[in-house]
């Protein structure tokens, strides 16, 4: 199957945001008197909507989760978003796909304004036709809603022409909701069991393998 539209998740797929996200979560939790000694415990925050993670992992109410997200952004806007690394080979992949006529789109649960700044910072924005993210108020945050917004904004009617690439189950589930195929990547923060359980059509271990699937090499 040949895909014309290639949708990428951001965190854990194009970039490794672990330092910035965990530092931001630690900053937020500290405001609630919660001290986390090992940042790796907070890798579970990478990918899913922040509100959901604060509620799920720390039992926060919706009101507490809203406050925690505000605290998170205090650190994230100032420092965290740039405590981030582009995965090796990603820019080469984006260039190859674009040179082969693919239309590249970002679909992330990260607020759109932050995603745009990060991609500009790393000089990757130029490869993408559209950058779709969540809203700051949380009204569009679920991955399926972000993907729908991306498809509608780009005038994509036939979901069979598009494929979603991401590292967590939310990416795969969101793709299925919108009728897209999906690639789960193992170099991010989701496990093979998580991606298989969500029903990923393809699972790859490296950035280079993404190109082989999309370009049918």
């Amino acid at each position: 199957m040949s895909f014309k539209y290639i949708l990428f998740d951001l965190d854990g797929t194009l970039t490794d945001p672990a330092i910035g996200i965990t530092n931001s979560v630690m900053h937020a939790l500290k405001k609630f008197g919660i001290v986390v000694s090992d940042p790796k415990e907070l890798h579970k925050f990478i990918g899913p909507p922040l509100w959901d993670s604060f509620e799920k992992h720390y039992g926060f109410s919706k009101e507490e989760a809203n406050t925690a997200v505000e605290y998170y952004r205090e650190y994230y806007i100032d420092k965290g978003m740039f405590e981030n690394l582009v995965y090796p080979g990603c820019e080469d992949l984006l260039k190859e796909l674009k040179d082969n006529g693919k239309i590249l789109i970002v679909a992330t649960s990260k607020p759109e304004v932050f995603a745009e700044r990060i991609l500009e910072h790393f000089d990757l924005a130029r490869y993408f036709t559209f950058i779709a993210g969540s809203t700051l108020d949380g009204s569009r945050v679920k991955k399926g809603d972000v993907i729908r917004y991306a498809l509608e904004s780009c005038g994509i009617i036939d979901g069979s022409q598009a494929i979603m690439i991401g590292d967590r189950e939310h990416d795969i589930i969101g793709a299925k909701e919108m009728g897209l195929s999906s690639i789960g990547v193992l170099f991010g923060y989701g496990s093979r069991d998580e991606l298989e359980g969500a029903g990923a059509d393809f699972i790859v271990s490296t950035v280079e393998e993404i190109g082989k699937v999309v370009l049918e090499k």
Side-chain angles (χ1 to χ4, degrees):
M1 184 179 293
S2 179
F3 301 103
K4 180 178 180 181
Y5 304 100
I6 318 300
L7 282 69
F8 283 89
D9 176 42
L10 178 55
D11 291 343
T13 303
L14 293 173
T15 68
D16 183 350
I19 295 174
I21 287 179
T22 55
N23 281 344
S24 300
V25 174
M26 289 171 73
H27 173 82
L29 291 174
K30 193 172 181 180
K31 297 272 192 173
F32 286 88
I34 301 169
V35 177
V36 178
S37 56
D38 183 1
K40 289 183 180 178
E41 290 181 24
L42 302 176
H43 282 180
K44 56 200 172 191
F45 276 79
I46 301 172
L50 285 171
W51 293 267
D52 294 354
S53 293
F54 281 116
E55 291 177 31
K56 177 181 179 181
H57 301 301
Y58 287 91
F60 284 11
S61 66
K62 290 195 180 299
E63 184 178 340
E64 288 171 329
N66 284 334
T67 302
V69 170
E70 290 176 7
Y71 289 147
Y72 172 98
R73 288 175 180 163
E74 288 177 350
Y75 184 95
Y76 191 78
I77 291 170
D78 185 41
K79 296 179 181 178
M81 75 170 74
F82 302 124
E83 292 177 329
N84 202 345
L85 297 168
V86 178
Y87 283 114
C90 262
E91 184 164 8
D92 290 340
L93 170 66
L94 297 176
K95 184 178 185 305
E96 181 182 26
L97 294 178
K98 194 163 186 180
D99 287 348
N100 277 272
K102 305 299 182 182
I103 295 173
L104 309 184
I105 299 164
V106 169
T108 174
S109 292
K110 182 182 293 300
E112 192 170 297
V113 63
F114 297 162
E116 289 172 348
R117 287 183 64 187
I118 290 165
L119 291 164
E120 290 285 356
H121 176 76
F122 290 113
D123 198 28
L124 297 180
R126 59 200 172 104
Y127 295 104
F128 294 97
T129 297
F130 190 70
I131 298 169
S134 65
T135 50
L136 287 169
D137 64 4
S139 59
R140 182 180 66 241
V141 68
K142 300 293 185 185
K143 186 51 70 83
D145 293 338
V146 173
I147 293 173
R148 179 184 295 107
Y149 163 63
L151 298 178
E152 289 175 351
S153 298
C154 295
I156 302 168
I157 298 171
D158 183 3
S160 69
Q161 291 187 302
I163 189 166
M164 177 73 208
I165 303 165
D167 67 316
R168 300 300 306 270
E169 64 180 355
H170 309 80
D171 302 303
I172 310 305
I173 293 168
K176 282 187 173 299
E177 287 176 0
M178 297 309 301
L180 274 59
S181 297
S182 59
I183 300 175
V185 304
L186 295 176
F187 53 81
Y189 289 88
S191 66
R192 180 177 290 275
D193 284 348
E194 176 181 337
L195 295 169
E196 287 181 347
D201 296 292
F202 305 92
I203 296 179
V204 301
S205 299
T206 66
V207 170
E208 290 72 24
E209 286 180 75
I210 295 173
K212 291 178 181 178
V213 171
V214 174
L215 298 174
E216 302 178 296
K217 291 182 179 179

